[in-house]
Amino acid sequence: MPAIVDGHMSGPAYVDFVSGNTLCYDKDVEGDCQATVDLIQRGPRAFRVRFMLATRIPDPAYDAMDLAVVDDFEARDLKRPDGLVKVDEVDYTVTRDGICITPEVRTAGAARSLAFGIGEDGRMVPVSSAGLSTFREKLREAWAGESIAARQCWQYRLEGKQLRQDYYLDGVLQADDVTMWDYLPTDASPLLRLPE
């Protein structure tokens, strides 16, 4: 399998790249990553990544997943969280020229998701088991609502010191949906970490 296909990484080459690097985008004012991707499991034709996304919770909260975390904190008499960390573990198929996923597999990944509120001291506080069940249900609903294609795929290529991600719905390039990732060696990344 060639490492480069039509100017972008082959699927196996991308998996090799993510194996040694943490991807990061959406940095805050202090330069810390608000979204990270790490490879956590791989096989010959598929791999699993951990996607962590930190967001500020609006006031009043209006997103269903935000509300699940806020309600959980209130039920436990905890101070309203300043933000939310969502952790997804999702399986992708490795193809000759990128990676792909189906809506069914993506929605099933919600069952492995975790949710944390960010306290005023910056610590990640896990939601309760009941709060997590509600969060996962809201996430499944959100992902099911986004599933507008039978197949979603991504292709990657290095541009300078960043990794460019192009997005395809049923084989059609979505030219206005490009993500530029920073990357750091996984063992040297001072990025989002799950609490011990």
Side-chain angles (χ1 to χ4, degrees):
M1 178 76 69
I4 303 297
V5 177
D6 297 331
H8 53 262
M9 293 179 177
S10 67
Y14 171 75
V15 175
D16 286 343
F17 186 83
V18 179
S19 295
N21 293 280
T22 293
L23 305 186
C24 149
Y25 79 95
D26 195 18
K27 292 183 177 179
D28 63 17
V29 293
E30 297 175 348
D32 295 326
C33 296
Q34 301 303 291
T36 63
V37 170
D38 285 288
L39 184 143
I40 59 173
Q41 184 178 323
R42 66 186 297 175
R45 294 190 175 184
F47 69 107
R48 178 175 295 174
V49 298
R50 175 175 290 145
F51 177 76
M52 296 182 65
L53 175 65
T55 58
R56 285 236 170 250
I57 292 180
D59 187 11
Y62 58 83
D63 180 275
M65 287 179 284
D66 290 350
L67 283 171
V69 174
V70 170
D71 290 347
D72 180 74
F73 270 51
E74 290 179 351
R76 294 188 290 159
D77 293 324
L78 299 176
K79 184 176 179 181
R80 180 190 176 92
D82 295 326
L84 162 71
V85 176
K86 179 167 68 79
V87 184
D88 302 328
E89 292 186 1
V90 184
D91 296 323
Y92 292 85
T93 300
V94 181
T95 69
R96 177 179 181 272
D97 55 0
I99 61 172
C100 295
I101 197 168
T102 63
E104 295 78 15
V105 171
R106 186 179 186 222
T107 302
R112 291 186 293 269
S113 296
L114 300 174
F116 300 83
I118 303 175
E120 58 185 339
D121 58 358
R123 288 188 311 116
M124 285 192 278
V125 180
V127 299
S128 67
S129 58
L132 183 58
S133 294
T134 301
F135 177 86
R136 287 173 171 170
E137 181 58 35
K138 299 303 181 185
L139 180 60
R140 275 192 294 271
E141 291 172 2
W143 280 0
E146 290 178 5
S147 300
I148 58 176
R151 189 173 172 88
Q152 302 174 66
C153 297
W154 294 264
Q155 293 180 347
Y156 298 85
R157 67 173 181 264
L158 289 171
E159 291 189 355
K161 295 183 178 181
Q162 290 186 303
L163 184 70
R164 176 189 172 112
Q165 172 183 288
D166 290 309
Y167 178 47
Y168 293 78
L169 287 177
D170 289 335
V172 179
L173 174 65
Q174 307 300 298
D176 59 348
D177 194 337
V178 174
T179 302
M180 300 299 294
W181 296 88
D182 293 329
Y183 57 90
L184 289 169
T186 297
D187 59 1
S189 307
L191 308 174
L192 286 173
R193 297 288 181 209
L194 287 176
E196 298 292 334

